[in-house]
Amino acid sequence: MIFLRLFWEYFKTGLFAVGGGMATVPFLQKMSEKTGWFTLGKLADMIAVSESTPGPIGVNMATYVGYTVGLREYGVAGGVLGAVLAMLGLVLPSFLIILLVSLMLDKFRKNRYVDSALYGLRPASVGLISAAGVKIVLFALLGVNTVFDLGAARLSWKMLLLAAIVLVCTRWVPKVKKLHPVVFILFSALFGILFGLGE
């Protein structure tokens, strides 16, 4: 059943994506290939929307995918149920792990194995987030999914221009770089609408 699969796929993602919402992106790319629920282009759009809306990025994306999959199969009621189950699947592993850790906090606090495991998870988390960032840049600027596809790359001068404008404004224009990040998100959204970056 589609709802059980939604829950299970997001449960696995929540269980292994260490490092926050962006760390779920590599798992979502695999999910896209395996299930066909969304394309990599749609994933890039979901990341952009999830980053610019309130709430954790992983939860926002899980809710969106669950809703669209449920809606496609069973209408609005299915969409709501799909959204809830995908979101619960994503957050349940973290909830259970934190609950377990809080119950055994004194034992875990001074355990050298746990300390070493957490130390080892740091580079894994950085690697997952970096891989997601590289994939997004490749897709947004060059229209390819991996570095092995660079032969078919087509540079998006509009995306490159937007990235350059935001970089210059946030690094070297003193009055502008003090603005809240929401201003840059809104500016980028408006730029995308005006210049048709989604096309």
Side-chain angles (χ1 to χ4, degrees):
M1 190 176 186
I2 194 73
F3 297 117
L4 290 176
R5 190 168 183 204
L6 267 170
F7 179 84
W8 176 241
E9 291 295 334
Y10 275 98
F11 185 85
K12 290 187 297 185
T13 299
L15 189 59
F16 296 110
V18 177
M22 287 306 287
T24 65
V25 173
F27 295 96
L28 293 176
Q29 290 166 340
K30 292 289 181 196
M31 189 187 301
S32 163
E33 295 164 9
K34 189 165 82 171
T35 64
W37 289 337
F38 50 90
T39 63
L40 291 177
K42 210 41 132 168
L43 177 60
D45 292 343
M46 285 191 297
I47 292 167
V49 171
S50 295
E51 283 284 11
S52 58
T53 53
I57 181 172
V59 172
N60 289 348
M61 289 196 294
T63 305
Y64 174 77
V65 171
Y67 181 78
T68 55
V69 170
L71 180 69
R72 195 174 341 162
E73 298 288 327
Y74 299 102
V76 175
V80 172
L81 181 59
V84 169
L85 288 174
M87 184 266 304
L88 283 176
L90 185 72
V91 300
L92 190 59
S94 300
F95 175 77
L96 294 175
I97 290 168
I98 293 298
L99 185 63
L100 180 67
V101 168
S102 69
L103 293 174
M104 306 175 131
L105 187 59
D106 287 333
K107 289 181 185 176
F108 280 154
R109 188 178 296 157
K110 295 179 182 173
N111 186 311
R112 68 185 179 116
Y113 296 111
V114 171
D115 190 47
S116 297
L118 291 173
Y119 184 77
L121 285 174
R122 291 177 194 159
S125 178
V126 169
L128 284 170
I129 294 168
S130 300
V134 168
K135 282 255 191 183
I136 292 166
V137 168
L138 285 172
F139 185 79
L141 296 181
L142 302 175
V144 295
N145 296 323
T146 67
V147 291
F148 302 110
D149 299 332
L150 286 177
R154 61 187 198 304
L155 182 65
S156 170
W157 67 267
K158 294 175 185 176
M159 290 281 202
L160 194 58
L161 177 63
L162 175 60
I165 290 170
V166 172
L167 178 68
V168 167
C169 288
T170 57
R171 295 287 173 229
W172 296 294
V173 180
K175 288 184 180 179
V176 177
K177 75 179 189 178
K178 293 178 183 175
L179 295 174
H180 196 278
V182 171
V183 173
F184 296 104
I185 292 169
L186 293 174
F187 168 75
S188 299
L190 183 61
F191 188 95
I193 291 168
L194 292 175
F195 293 100
L197 294 181
E199 296 171 355

